[in-house]
Structures are given as structure tokens and as C-alpha cells.
């Protein structure tokens, strides 16, 4: 009967103003972080539409007509198609969704529209994770979901009777209640290798200080990003600073400007001979979109999923597109290379035709003066040490003949210049040599006990072939700027070289330094426990929990059963809470006061009346009684004296109890 | 109508004056006054010679009430209490001759020695505040306050009052032996009978009626009503042969109010209820397993089991 009354149908009721405004605000909050990857026009459009909707609602103006919105939606779809060439995939999808959400806000008239917007908002929050899973972003998105949830609550609060604070409280408690489900899904949802849904990670996320070629003189600026490249956790103490060389691509071929790697070569048997103890460690790599696993020089062996090249570099089967963890080992004292094969000898002596005549002449003179190859190496290092070379991250551009220009004219450069010209000189003197790129250094974090290697720690050094000793590492940069090797990049630069603030202060203010370490530890744990939680770790956890080797089917069943259990527990809690009598607000405050007494070590009996309690306090705890008297008398007044209580008296009473403190004797 | 301050002042004067006669029994005196103010009747259960009669007598004197003592014996008949119609030759008609019950304060001494028939005659008068004889109703004076005494039940030749009758007395107290100090004061002091004769009334029946009316104005919050309800509810949990009756609940509320008035307050606290509870439950509740507990122990058990809401 009552269904015929239109006012009883929620869908025809006008939406309440605060709900509409909250929903619009929350959608704006959600769309803002998408600014980093949406095309600018699309982001501007959807943000503009949302702000327009907010303004129209705020000033109580009419919404635009349906037809106009329809035309706008079709235009937006076409623009999106023209821009991306498709409507499929992550980017076009998210772009389309953001724009349509903006349009939908302009036609949010009924409860149904508003509900749709709210749920699309939740979905748009999820799409953020297709781009970034950074911890700070997640904190932001939690705030955004709180805002959407407040919108949802306002929507259902048809009479608009709740205060914002109580809505926020309710929203927060709803989010907290969903926490167990979130954890359950995180742990139990079947995991697959690779990024979510096979969506390729794009370059935005994969910035590396390394590439598979190097061109000294071509770029006047090196990557100075203090983004973490990887972290290493050693089972024992980490190696000393001078031994923290992390091996990346090895470069052989030089065309006068550019160093490139050779075609993949197989690993010689027994190529590695450890001369000291083997060190084991865990490497947690940030995504780089490259398959290189930056192992400590020299890797002991390649674990199952990795392959070692003939240049002793560890390579993963796939480019690393998410935070990945490896168990590795290394010899810091070693001998590598048994014999120099024909191919390696040819490549190790290869020089481009007719470049750098002065360098060749210099090398030839060393050749003539030296009895053996070790002597030549030492002569070259002495040259770098004695000539006025300067280590700088912003050297002049060298377009003509980079080797000669660097060695004899500018004499300013960074590791690439030194390593490249050193190898050139060695080859010209007849010593087989090659460039090794990778990272050098790493900052020890004493809080979480790991080494942090940043993108700015990228480095290049040389390896020369000495008969009997194999490939020997020589770092010409160390001859010029020893502190670069010993203490990291932050200390080796003069003031004019601008490094990010946090890097510059690495050895400076201890407070900032400590805060930075703390922050990085948090980031590390986030990476380790959340982002690197892949299928293997999941299986290991299952075994630890005694669930054995669960396949995905078993996991789903466990997931459903445990979700059911949580729902059951919630239901029980709610039912029991319903049964419990609701405490009078004054009594609730009084109970708070009693709890404070208990904390101070005063026995409190629920059957003791307030005036009896006061008498006892006056007798046994005279110092507490002074303050307690006021509270107890007000309690008696409020609860037993006058039936009509005014709010002011109650709030005064609450304040008194909040202020009440007992000194522990 | 009497204002609260005068009321409290007079009540204090009454307590003090009686306290001079009955030494060291402040609580018993206060409970007796509570009972009077609550417009109920008092049962004193104790061994002979601890001052039951003296208490009743001094109350009567101080309150300025008309006082009658009825000694209950096994041959006492209802008419001996209520009165009889006597034939008057001169007028040729029957004339009602009121019994001792037509008094403002009655001491029914050793009530359990009379036959049940006689006992119920008094109890009905107490309940109804009137006496009907041969179809004519005679209204009892006001205030009407009965103090009954009884010896503990072990003694031979008694007719213990049934529970339903006990319920008519809103409070039951016992005086007990005086403590050492009070006993010394008692032995050293004057003869109590002499002292009684010297007592002057502190108040009057009209003023007592006003004070009884004042009890009705004592504030009683809903939190306190909840407490009384929960206390009564708890006694009905099967631990006792029978729980407290609704009449007992009303008596608890009234005597709590009277106790608060005696404390000089115009509102009732849970403490007031707790204070009168032993005297209220002692003669009403019997443990299922007949465990021997004093009234205080029994009330403590109830109080400790029911948190104050």
C-alpha cells in the first residue's frame, strides 16, 4: 500500500546536498593522482567537469541538459580513440573512465546515479595501482576511499541528521572492518608471476642509471636520481666500501664514441675461483624493465631462475617489472677467467680506426717503456693521478674526438669518461681490457640492516686481462677521486655540482640523515613485505601456516572459508552488542573516571555507590579525593538529583573527567 | 507543608534525644525513624532485655504520640486488641468500646506468642488503617505506627509469623547487645525509666504527618529506579524460596526515600537503598538451602551481585 506513495521510494527523493558535495569532492581527490599518466587534455577535461559539477551544485544551479551530456560523452570517446588508436588496454580505459566519471557527476540527479558514481569512484581508486604501488600513494588513496565512503554514508543519511565527525567515524570504522578481508585477500588470493593482469609496466616507473651502452661526452648530465635501484641484505656483515661493486652489463665494442656489449657468450667452465669465504645475501631489486640482476662482484653461482653470461653478469629470464627478490652469493676475493680465448682477445684489443691519435701515441710510449702489462696499468693510473683531472657530473660536451678531448683538453668527467678512456689506453698499449658497468657503493641502513643502492650510485670501471691473474678490476675513477669509491658519490663532488638535497647531506646533519634512514627502512619493509610478496613467498607462507602446497583452487576455498568465518565473527559481535544495554552517556563518562582510578591502583567496586566511593577516597587517598570530589558530586547531581539535565552541565562534567589525572604512587 | 530544612532539623533533634536513652544504637534508631517516615510498621526481633520496649516507649514520648503497649499472649483474643461493642442500658443500644489498637503508636510485644487468629487481627488493622466490627468501620488514628517485637524463633510455645504476614512490616531490625563502651555508659547512667519520664516531645503528630508527606517529594531518578528494579529482579533468580514481592519493592523505594531525608538530602542515592536493604530483605528472603546467614550477609550478597547501573 505504502509503496504507491512516491515519497517512500528512495529513488525519487531529492539527493541531499551534503552527500552530493562530498561525492564530488571525493571524485576530485581520486582523479588528482591520475594526472601523472593521463593525457593532459583528458585529465584537464575530467577535473574541469568535476569542478564544474561542484560549482553548479554549490550555487544550486540547474544541471546541463541530458542531450548535451550525451554529445559530450560521444565526443570524449572519439577523442580517446583518436589519441590512443584503440579503446582497449589500460591507458585508454582509465582515460575513458575518468572522463565519463566527470560527465556522470553532471547528471547525478537520483540515488541510482549517485550510487553508480560512488562505485565507479572505488573502481577508479583501484586503477591507480596499475601505475604505481608506492606506499605514499596508498596512504593517499586510503584517504580518498574514506572520502568516498563518507559520501556513501551521506547518501544514505536521507534526513541529513549526522554530523561530519560521526560520518567520518563511521566511514573509518567501516574501512577498519574491511581490513581483515583485505589481509586475507592479500595473503590468499592466488598470485601469478609478472605484473598484474600482464599489463606492461611503462617507462615511467623503470628509470635506471644503467643502459647497455655508454657514450662518454655525449651527455653532459648523468642521472642524479636518488631513487633506490636495489637493496641488499647480507647474512653476515656487509662488505667494506671499497668492495661494493655491483656488476651490470660488460661493454666490449667501441666505435670512437660509443661503447656497446658483445653478442651473448657462453660461460666458461670453472671460470670463477673464490679466494676467500663466500658471502650470501638477499637482493631486492626495484623494477628496471631490464633483465639485469646487479650481483655483488663476483657472483658465486647463478641460482635456478637466473643465468650467468660469459661476462659473469647475472641475467633474469624476463625484464624485471616489479619488485623482485633473489637469494645470491658472492666472492669478494676472486680470480676470474682461466684463459683468454680468441674471440675475447680480438674484442679486448678492438679499437676504432683512426681516432684519438694522441691517446694512441701516449699508450705506445708506455708500451715501449714497460716490461710487463702490470707496469702499463700502473703508468696509466699514475697519469690520471698526476694530471689535473677533475671528477664532475657535469663535464663539457665532447663532440669531436671524445677520448683525446677528455684526456688532453677538458680533463673533466665522471666514471664513464675515466673507465672508457682507460680501456682505450690499455687496448692501444696492447693490454686486453673491457668496460664494466654497474653500481658502486651502497649506504648501510643501521635501522633495518641493509645496503641501499641508489640510481645515482651507477658506476663504470675497467677490467684488464693479466696473464695468470685473469680479468682484474681496475677503477681509474679511484685514481682521480678516491673518495668516490670509499665514501660514495655525495662526497666526491665539488659544490657546483648539484645533487639532490638528501644525497648531499648524506654525511652531514645526523638528524636529517637518521630521518632519511628511517624513511628508507619503511620503504624497504613495504617493498619486502608487500610488493615482493610473489607466488614463491606465498607458497612458503602457506607451508609455514601448515596449509601445505595449496594450488589456486585450494587457496580460493581457504579464502572463501576464512571470509565466511570473519563474517560469522562480525555477526556474532554485532548481535551481542545489540543485546548489551546502551550505557547512559553520563554513566559512560563516570565509568571512564572509574577506569582512571583503577589505573592509579585504586580498587573500584561496581556495587559501590558514588558517595561511598568519595568517602573511601577521602579516607585512603586524600590527594586524589580533592579532584575526585568535584567529579563525584557532579555525577550525583547529573544522575540522581534533577531529572532534567542540560547539555552544558554534561559537557563540563566530561571535561572534568578528561582532565582528571592520578599520579601513580 | 513543612520545608525541608526544618524537617531535617527536627529529625536530627529526635535522633539525638532518643540516642540519649538508647545508647550506641544510632543505626537502629535511624531505621525506626525511617520506618515511621515511610509510613510503615516495624518489627524488632531480638532476645529479651536489649531495650526493645525502651526504644518504642522513647519514640512515643519524643514524637509526642499516644502510646499503647499490648502484651501478646497465647490467650489474647482479637477483641482484646480491636475493642468490643458493649450494650448501654441507658440508651438501649450498643456502644463501641475501642481496644488498645486505637492509638498512634502501638508496641505489640512478643507478637509471635499469640495465636494466628489474634496476630492477623492486628496485621489487618495495620494494613487497612481501620477496624471493622459488626459492619461498622472505625478509622484508626494517624499517624499509626506499630512496633512489633518477637523473640527469635527457636523458643518454645510460639506461633511464628508466616511470610505473608512478615511482608506487612516494611523493615525488621534487631538491636543486639550493646558494645562495651555503651554498656558501661548504660550501667553508670540513670535508670532508663526515670529518664523516659523526663523526656519532652520534640515534635507533634501533625508535624510527623507533614514529614511523612515530605518523603513523597524526595527526588528519585530513573537510574535509581533501574537499580531498585535490578536488585529485586536478582532476588527472583531462584536462589531464594521466593523473591521480593512488588510490595517489597515499593517498600524499598519508600524507605530509601525516608533514609535520604534523614540524611538531609532531597534525592535518593544507591547508598540509601543499600543502607535499608538488610532490614528489608532479612525477614522476607529465605535461602533455598536454608543456609544460615545474617540479614547483613544476605543483603551484602545481593548488593555485590548487582552492579549499580
Amino acid at each position: 500500500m505504502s509503496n504507491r506513495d512516491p515519497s517512500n521510494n528512495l529513488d525519487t527523493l531529492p539527493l541531499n546536498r551534503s552527500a552530493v558535495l562530498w561525492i564530488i569532492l571525493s571524485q576530485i581527490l581520486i582523479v588528482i593522482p591520475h594526472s601523472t599518466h593521463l593525457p593532459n587534455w583528458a585529465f584537464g577535461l575530467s577535473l574541469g567537469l568535476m569542478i564544474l559539477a561542484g560549482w553548479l551544485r554549490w550555487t544550486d544551479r540547474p544541471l546541463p541538459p541530458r542531450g548535451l551530456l550525451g554529445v559530450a560523452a560521444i565526443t570524449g570517446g572519439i577523442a580517446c580513440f583518436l589519441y590512443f588508436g584503440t579503446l582497449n588496454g589500460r591507458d585508454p580505459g582509465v582515460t575513458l573512465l575518468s572522463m565519463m566519471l566527470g560527465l556522470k557527476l553532471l547528471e547525478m540527479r537520483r540515488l541510482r546515479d549517485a550510487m553508480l558514481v560512488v562505485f565507479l569512484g572505488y573502481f577508479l581508486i583501484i586503477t591507480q595501482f596499475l601505475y604505481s604501488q608506492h606506499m605514499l600513494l596508498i596512504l593517499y588513496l586510503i584517504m580518498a576511499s574514506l572520502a568516498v565512503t563518507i559520501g556513501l554514508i551521506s547518501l544514505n543519511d536521507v534526513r541529513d541528521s549526522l554530523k561530519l565527525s560521526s560520518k567520518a567515524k563511521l566511514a573509518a570504522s567501516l574501512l577498519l572492518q574491511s581490513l581483515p578481508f583485505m589481509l586475507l585477500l592479500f595473503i590468499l588470493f592466488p598470485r601469478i608471476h609478472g605484473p598484474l593482469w600482464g599489463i606492461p609496466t611503462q617507462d615511467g616507473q623503470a628509470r635506471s642509471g644503467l643502459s647497455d651502452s655508454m657514450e662518454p661526452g655525449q651527455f653532459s648530465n648523468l642521472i642524479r636520481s636518488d631513487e633506490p635501484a636495489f637493496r641488499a641484505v647480507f647474512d653476515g656483515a656487509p662488505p667494506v666500501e671499497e668492495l661494493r661493486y655491483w656488476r651490470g652489463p660488460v661493454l666490449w665494442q667501441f666505435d670512437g664514441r660509443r661503447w656497446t656489449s658483445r653478442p651473448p657468450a657462453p660461460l666458461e667452465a670453472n671460470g670463477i675461483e673464490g679466494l676467500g669465504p663466500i658471502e650470501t645475501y638477499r637482493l631486492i631489486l626495484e623494477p628496471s624493465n631490464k633483465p639485469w640482476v646487479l650481483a655483488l662482484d663476483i657472483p658465486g653461482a647463478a641460482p635456478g631462475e637466473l643465468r650467468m653470461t660469459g661476462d659473469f653478469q647475472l641475467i633474469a629470464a624476463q625484464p624485471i617489472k616489479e619488485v623482485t627478490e633473489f637469494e645470491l652469493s658472492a666472492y669478494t676475493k676472486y680470480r676470474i677467467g682461466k684463459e683468454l680465448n680468441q674471440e675475447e682477445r680480438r674484442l679486448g684489443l678492438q679499437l676504432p680506426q683512426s681516432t684519438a691519435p694522441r691517446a694512441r701515441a701516449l699508450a705506445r710510449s708506455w708500451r715501449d717503456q714497460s716490461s710487463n702489462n702490470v707496469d702499463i696499468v700502473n703508468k696509466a693510473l699514475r697519469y690520471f693521478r698526476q694530471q689535473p683531472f677533475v671528477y664532475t657530473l657535469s663535464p663539457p660536451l665532447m663532440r669531436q674526438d671524445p677520448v683525446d678531448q677528455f684526456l688532453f683538453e677538458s680533463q673533466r668527467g665522471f666514471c664513464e669518461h675515466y673507465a672508457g678512456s682507460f680501456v682505450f689506453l690499455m687496448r692501444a698499449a696492447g693490454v686486453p681490457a673491457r668496460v664494466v658497468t654497474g653500481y658502486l657503493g651502497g649506504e648501510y641502513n643501521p635501522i633495518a640492516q641493509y645496503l641501499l643502492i641508489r640510481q645515482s650510485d651507477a658506476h663504470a670501471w675497467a677490467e684488464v686481462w693479466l696473464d695468470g691473474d685473469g680479468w682484474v678490476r681496475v677503477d681509474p675513477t679511484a685514481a682521480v677521486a678516491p673518495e668516490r669509491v670509499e665514501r660514495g658519490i655525495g662526497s666526491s663532488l665539488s659544490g657546483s655540482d648539484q645533487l639532490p638535497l638528501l644525497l648531499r647531506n648524506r654525511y652531514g646533519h645526523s638528524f636529517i640523515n637518521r630521518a632519511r634512514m628511517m624513511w628508507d627502512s619503511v620503504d624497504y619493509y613495504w617493498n619486502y613485505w608487500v610488493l615482493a610478496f610473489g607466488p614463491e613467498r606465498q607458497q612458503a607462507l602457506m607451508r609455514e601456516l601448515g596449509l601445505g602446497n595449496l594450488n589456486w583452487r585450494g587457496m580460493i576455498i581457504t579464502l572463501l572459508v576464512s571470509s565466511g568465518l570473519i563474517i560469522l565473527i562480525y555477526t556474532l559481535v554485532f548481535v551481542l552488542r545489540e543485546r548489551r544495554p546502551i550505557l547512559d552517556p553520563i554513566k559512560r563518562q563516570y565509568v571512564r573516571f572509574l577506569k582512571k582510578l583503577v589505573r592509579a591502583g585504586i580498587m573500584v567496586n561496581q556495587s559501590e555507590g558514588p558517595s561511598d566511593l568519595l568517602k573511601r577516597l577521602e579516607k585512603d587517598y586524600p590527594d586524589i579525593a580533592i579532584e575526585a570530589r568535584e567529579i563525584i558530586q557532579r555525577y550525583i547531581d547529573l544522575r540522581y538529583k534533577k531529572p532534567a539535565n542540560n547539555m552544558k552541565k554534561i559537557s563540563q562534567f566530561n571535561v572534568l573527567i578528561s582532565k582528571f589525572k592520578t599520579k601513580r604512587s | 507543608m513543612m520545608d525541608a530544612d526544618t524537617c531535617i532539623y527536627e529529625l536530627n533533634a529526635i535522633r539525638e534525644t532518643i540516642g540519649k536513652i538508647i545508647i550506641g544504637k544510632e543505626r537502629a534508631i535511624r531505621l525506626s525513624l525511617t520506618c515511621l517516615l515511610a509510613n510503615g510498621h516495624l518489627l524488632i526481633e531480638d532476645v529479651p532485655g536489649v531495650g526493645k520496649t525502651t526504644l518504642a516507649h522513647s519514640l512515643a514520648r519524643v514524637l509526642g504520640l499516644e502510646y499503647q503497649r499490648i502484651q501478646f499472649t497465647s490467650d489474647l483474643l482479637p477483641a482484646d486488641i480491636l475493642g468490643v461493642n458493649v450494650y448501654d442500658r441507658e440508651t438501649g443500644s450498643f456502644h463501641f468500646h475501642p481496644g488498645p489498637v486505637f492509638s498512634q503508636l502501638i508496641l505489640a510485644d512478643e507478637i509471635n506468642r499469640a495465636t494466628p487468629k489474634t496476630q492477623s487481627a492486628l496485621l489487618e488493622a495495620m494494613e487497612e488503617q481501620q477496624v471493622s466490627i459488626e459492619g461498622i468501620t472505625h478509622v484508626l488514628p494517624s499517624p499509626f505506627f506499630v512496633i512489633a517485637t518477637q523473640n527469635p524463633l527457636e523458643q518454645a510455645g510460639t506461633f511464628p509469623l508466616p511470610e505473608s504476614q512478615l511482608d506487612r512490616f516494611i523493615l525488621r531490625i534487631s538491636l543486639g547487645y550493646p558494645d562495651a563502651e555503651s554498656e558501661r555508659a548504660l550501667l553508670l547512667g540513670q535508670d532508663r525509666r526515670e529518664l523516659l519520664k523526663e523526656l519532652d516531645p520534640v515534635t507533634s503528630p501533625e508535624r510527623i504527618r507533614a514529614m511523612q508527606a515530605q518523603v513523597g517529594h524526595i527526588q528519585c531518578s530513573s537510574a535509581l529506579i533501574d537499580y531498585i528494579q535490578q536488585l529485586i529482579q536478582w532476588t527472583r533468580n531462584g536462589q531464594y524460596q521466593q523473591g521480593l514481592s512488588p510490595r517489597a519493592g515499593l517498600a524499598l523505594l519508600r524507605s530509601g526515600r525516608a533514609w535520604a531525608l534523614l540524611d538531609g538530602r532531597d534525592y535518593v542515592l544507591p547508598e540509601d537503598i543499600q543502607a535499608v536493604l538488610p532490614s528489608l530483605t532479612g525477614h522476607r528472603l529465605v535461602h533455598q538451602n536454608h543456609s544460615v546467614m545474617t540479614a547483613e550477609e544476605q543483603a551484602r550478597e545481593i548488593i555485590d551481585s548487582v552492579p549499580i547501573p
Side-chain angles (χ1 to χ4, degrees):
Chain A
M1 293 261 262
S2 61
N3 282 348
R4 277 185 228 154
D5 180 2
S7 70
N8 268 4
N9 190 347
L10 273 179
D11 210 36
T12 56
L13 275 182
L15 294 174
N16 85 57
R17 191 180 139 91
S18 79
V20 169
L21 291 176
W22 260 106
I23 290 171
I24 293 173
L25 178 71
S26 61
Q27 304 304 321
I28 291 175
L29 287 177
I30 292 167
V31 92
I32 281 175
H34 279 290
S35 63
T36 54
H37 42 259
L38 286 188
N40 285 336
W41 60 268
F43 174 70
L45 188 65
S46 63
L47 190 65
L49 287 172
M50 285 173 183
I51 292 172
L52 176 68
W55 179 72
L56 289 177
R57 290 299 194 157
W58 183 265
T59 54
D60 292 320
R61 275 162 218 268
L63 295 176
R66 282 265 159 90
L68 188 67
L69 292 175
V71 172
I74 292 166
T75 318
I78 291 170
C80 193
F81 181 78
L82 290 178
Y83 184 85
F84 290 103
T86 171
L87 286 179
N88 256 337
R90 180 186 66 171
D91 288 349
V94 173
T95 307
L96 206 58
L97 185 61
S98 313
M99 280 194 300
M100 295 306 144
L101 201 54
L103 286 170
K104 189 74 196 169
L105 287 182
L106 285 171
E107 64 155 19
M108 192 165 65
R109 287 189 172 86
R110 293 180 302 158
L111 185 66
R112 207 183 54 146
D113 302 323
M115 292 301 266
L116 185 68
V117 167
V118 165
F119 288 105
L120 282 179
Y122 282 121
F123 187 74
L124 200 60
I125 290 178
I126 298 171
T127 59
Q128 272 293 337
F129 298 124
L130 303 179
Y131 294 94
S132 166
Q133 298 174 10
H134 196 272
M135 197 174 38
L136 286 180
L137 179 76
I138 285 171
L139 286 179
Y140 177 86
L141 292 177
I142 287 173
M143 295 308 296
S145 20
L146 198 67
V148 192
T149 311
I150 290 176
L152 183 59
I153 290 167
S154 314
L155 208 54
N156 287 281
D157 177 22
V158 184
R159 276 173 203 83
D160 202 10
S161 57
L162 291 175
K163 280 192 291 184
L164 178 58
S165 61
S166 38
K167 281 188 224 169
K169 222 184 228 174
L170 189 57
S173 86
L174 281 174
L175 288 190
L176 276 180
Q177 282 161 21
S178 67
L179 202 68
F181 294 101
M182 190 195 83
L183 286 176
L184 215 57
L185 285 168
F186 177 77
I187 292 170
L188 283 172
F189 196 84
R191 278 163 190 276
I192 42 164
H193 276 285
L196 203 54
W197 301 321
I199 289 160
T201 316
Q202 266 132 38
D203 294 336
Q205 206 182 336
R207 266 186 309 256
S208 169
L210 283 190
S211 72
D212 52 2
S213 66
M214 82 179 191
E215 222 171 331
Q218 231 11 57
F219 299 100
S220 75
N221 270 315
L222 193 71
I223 284 188
R224 288 173 193 174
S225 153
D226 62 348
E227 296 275 304
F230 54 92
R231 294 180 177 87
V233 185
F234 284 83
D235 293 343
V240 293
E241 309 256 353
E242 301 92 83
L243 295 176
R244 292 179 194 162
Y245 282 87
W246 309 90
R247 198 177 186 89
V250 175
L251 309 179
W252 295 83
Q253 279 158 331
F254 186 51
D255 63 358
R257 291 185 175 281
R258 188 180 162 86
W259 289 90
T260 47
S261 52
R262 65 165 168 171
L267 180 67
E268 285 173 46
N270 307 321
I272 300 171
E273 190 186 338
L275 299 179
I278 192 159
E279 304 205 38
T280 53
Y281 63 100
R282 238 173 35 230
L283 194 76
I284 299 118
L285 270 178
E286 298 282 326
S288 62
N289 217 9
K290 302 271 182 355
W292 309 325
V293 176
L294 285 303
L296 185 68
D297 230 4
I298 193 76
E305 70 271 28
L306 300 178
R307 177 171 65 82
M308 199 191 282
T309 67
D311 299 334
F312 311 106
Q313 190 196 356
L314 290 184
I315 303 281
Q318 299 288 327
I320 288 157
K321 291 183 173 177
E322 53 185 356
V323 175
T324 320
E325 184 200 356
F326 299 101
E327 297 277 347
L328 300 176
S329 60
Y331 296 105
T332 49
K333 285 182 186 161
Y334 57 87
R335 179 154 56 211
I336 49 171
K338 273 235 153 127
E339 233 170 289
L340 196 64
N341 62 37
Q342 275 313 117
E343 172 70 2
E344 282 183 343
R345 180 171 294 281
R346 187 184 68 76
L347 278 170
L349 291 172
Q350 172 264 332
L351 283 176
Q353 304 280 309
S354 65
T355 51
R358 292 175 70 187
R360 284 175 207 254
L362 182 67
R364 224 173 293 122
S365 72
W366 290 341
R367 165 89 271 170
D368 296 341
Q369 294 161 22
S370 309
S371 54
N372 56 32
N373 288 353
V374 179
D375 229 21
I376 298 174
V377 171
N378 285 334
K379 280 209 170 63
L381 289 178
R382 201 178 307 129
Y383 178 80
F384 280 118
R385 220 173 285 130
Q386 285 167 352
Q387 292 284 315
F389 280 98
V390 173
Y391 183 83
T392 171
L393 291 186
S394 29
L397 287 177
M398 285 161 271
R399 300 232 183 265
Q400 295 298 310
D401 191 336
V403 178
D404 266 8
Q405 222 178 327
F406 168 69
L407 279 175
F408 304 105
E409 287 161 36
S410 74
Q411 302 196 323
R412 298 168 65 83
F414 46 86
C415 54
E416 288 190 5
H417 299 81
Y418 294 98
S421 53
F422 178 81
V423 171
F424 186 95
L425 287 168
M426 288 303 107
R427 288 182 179 183
V431 184
R434 59 190 185 185
V435 173
V436 186
T437 61
Y439 292 83
L440 166 63
E443 185 184 3
Y444 186 65
N445 188 320
I447 297 159
Q449 301 178 341
Y450 59 84
L451 278 179
L452 164 67
I453 293 88
R454 298 170 188 278
Q455 293 301 355
S456 56
D457 289 320
H459 190 58
W461 59 93
E463 274 179 348
V464 295
W465 178 267
L466 299 174
D467 289 321
D469 289 331
W471 289 106
V472 176
R473 181 170 66 218
V474 179
D475 192 348
T477 315
V480 178
E483 59 285 350
R484 164 71 185 93
V485 180
E486 283 158 20
R487 280 184 288 145
I489 193 156
S491 61
S492 58
L493 296 168
S494 51
S496 63
D497 278 315
Q498 289 298 303
L499 268 182
L501 179 75
L502 291 179
L503 268 183
R504 241 186 296 154
N505 282 332
R506 190 179 287 186
Y507 302 94
H509 311 293
S510 63
F511 167 72
I512 295 177
N513 204 28
R514 190 169 167 77
R516 202 172 48 79
M517 294 274 197
M518 293 272 272
W519 175 242
D520 196 73
S521 309
V522 173
D523 204 32
Y524 161 72
Y525 286 123
W526 173 255
N527 273 353
Y528 182 74
W529 287 108
V530 180
L531 298 187
F533 189 78
E536 290 83 11
R537 289 263 293 277
Q538 189 178 33
Q539 285 297 339
L541 184 68
M542 292 298 121
R543 278 193 295 278
E544 249 173 68
L545 291 176
L547 291 172
N549 286 317
L550 274 183
N551 58 7
W552 66 268
R553 213 165 280 175
M555 276 190 206
I556 299 257
I557 289 168
T558 319
L559 191 61
L560 290 176
V561 169
S562 8
S563 305
L565 273 178
I566 293 178
I567 292 171
L568 195 68
I569 290 169
Y570 279 174
T571 315
L572 277 176
V573 168
F574 287 136
V575 167
L576 288 179
R577 194 183 280 178
E578 284 296 301
R579 274 195 191 168
R580 204 174 56 187
I582 300 151
L583 265 189
D584 176 82
I586 299 163
K587 173 72 179 181
R588 202 166 49 213
Q589 292 296 329
Y590 184 67
V591 167
R592 195 154 72 95
F593 164 70
L594 294 183
K595 281 183 182 159
K596 283 189 173 187
L597 289 181
V598 170
R599 251 174 277 145
I602 299 170
M603 287 264 289
V604 166
N605 179 350
Q606 282 202 305
S607 305
E608 190 177 33
S611 76
D612 282 353
L613 173 66
L614 180 58
K615 275 181 212 145
R616 189 161 61 90
L617 289 177
E618 276 168 345
K619 188 163 149 275
D620 298 344
Y621 308 92
D623 49 328
I624 290 175
I626 299 164
E627 256 188 284
R629 174 199 300 278
E630 170 104 37
I631 290 173
I632 292 174
Q633 275 169 355
R634 275 173 188 264
Y635 174 65
I636 289 172
D637 276 11
L638 287 169
R639 194 149 169 83
Y640 295 110
K641 221 169 169 177
K642 298 270 177 267
N645 292 318
N646 68 50
M647 290 310 288
K648 198 178 160 206
K649 270 191 178 172
I650 293 175
S651 66
Q652 280 173 345
F653 174 64
N654 294 353
V655 168
L656 268 181
I657 287 177
S658 300
K659 278 191 196 155
F660 178 73
K661 278 196 190 78
T662 52
K663 272 172 243 130
R664 227 174 260 264
S665 48
Chain B
M1 192 66 208
M2 198 173 184
D3 71 281
D5 287 341
T6 330
C7 188
I8 291 154
Y9 176 80
E10 269 193 37
L11 285 169
N12 280 337
I14 294 167
R15 279 162 65 189
E16 248 170 64
T17 317
I18 299 173
K20 282 182 201 150
I21 310 278
I22 316 288
I23 297 168
K25 293 290 166 204
E26 284 77 16
R27 190 178 151 79
I29 296 165
R30 192 168 165 179
L31 281 167
S32 315
L33 288 170
T34 302
C35 198
L36 169 70
L37 292 174
N39 216 348
H41 304 284
L42 182 68
L43 180 64
I44 307 180
E45 186 176 278
D46 224 323
V47 290
V50 289
K52 291 175 298 213
T53 314
T54 317
L55 175 65
H57 207 160
S58 51
L59 267 172
R61 294 234 25 142
V62 172
L63 301 172
L65 297 177
E66 198 188 315
Y67 169 67
Q68 274 289 348
R69 175 181 168 164
I70 309 169
Q71 179 63 51
F72 277 52
T73 53
S74 53
D75 56 356
L76 191 74
L77 293 172
D80 297 336
I81 302 170
L82 304 177
V84 282
N85 280 330
V86 180
Y87 183 70
D88 192 339
R89 262 188 213 177
E90 283 170 28
T91 57
S93 61
F94 282 92
H95 176 68
F96 180 63
H97 194 83
V101 79
F102 286 88
S103 247
Q104 288 167 319
L105 196 155
I106 294 156
L107 175 66
D109 220 355
E110 295 186 273
I111 192 171
N112 56 339
R113 296 187 66 174
T115 53
K117 191 178 177 182
T118 312
Q119 289 173 353
S120 54
L122 175 68
L123 292 163
E124 274 169 40
M126 279 158 54
E127 187 71 13
E128 310 291 333
Q129 296 259 324
Q130 61 186 27
V131 174
S132 295
I133 294 166
E134 291 173 14
I136 299 161
T137 301
H138 306 275
V139 179
L140 289 168
S142 168
F144 178 67
F145 185 36
V146 176
I147 300 176
T149 74
Q150 85 177 343
N151 289 333
L153 300 175
E154 290 82 46
Q155 298 198 351
T158 58
F159 299 92
L161 292 172
E163 276 89 3
S164 62
Q165 308 263 16
L166 283 171
D167 203 21
R168 309 266 168 99
F169 294 94
I170 72 167
L171 297 183
R172 186 193 72 176
I173 62 171
S174 64
L175 289 168
Y177 296 117
D179 57 38
E181 198 191 330
S182 308
E183 189 129 40
R184 271 177 59 83
L186 195 67
L187 293 169
L188 282 170
Q190 281 179 280
D191 183 8
R192 300 291 117 181
R193 283 173 218 286
E194 293 301 311
L195 278 174
L196 264 175
K197 281 177 191 161
E198 290 165 19
L199 277 185
D200 288 325
V202 177
T203 182
S204 64
E206 291 73 41
R207 300 180 81 83
I208 290 171
R209 275 199 294 275
M211 285 192 258
Q212 284 174 337
Q214 186 72 25
V215 169
H217 293 100
I218 301 288
Q219 195 63 248
C220 195
S221 71
S222 62
L224 196 97
I225 297 293
D226 288 346
Y227 185 45
I228 294 177
Q229 194 276 323
Q230 284 170 25
L231 285 171
I232 293 169
Q233 192 64 46
W234 194 84
T235 64
R236 297 172 185 162
N237 62 2
Q239 192 162 357
Y240 304 105
Q241 285 181 354
Q242 55 201 130
L244 290 176
S245 64
R247 178 163 57 192
L250 287 167
L252 183 57
L253 175 60
R254 275 198 81 73
S255 40
R257 280 177 150 150
W259 185 269
L261 178 65
L262 279 162
D263 206 32
R265 275 182 281 111
D266 60 353
Y267 55 89
V268 189
L269 282 179
E271 284 89 333
D272 301 324
I273 303 299
Q274 293 176 353
V276 297
L277 194 66
S279 307
L280 196 112
T281 55
H283 57 298
R284 287 186 169 94
L285 297 177
V286 180
H287 250 283
Q288 280 292 21
N289 51 9
H290 295 278
S291 68
V292 185
M293 268 176 135
T294 67
E296 277 73 24
E297 284 166 354
Q298 197 176 54
R300 194 74 248 166
E301 188 184 31
I302 301 169
I303 290 167
D304 286 344
S305 313
V306 181
I308 299 172

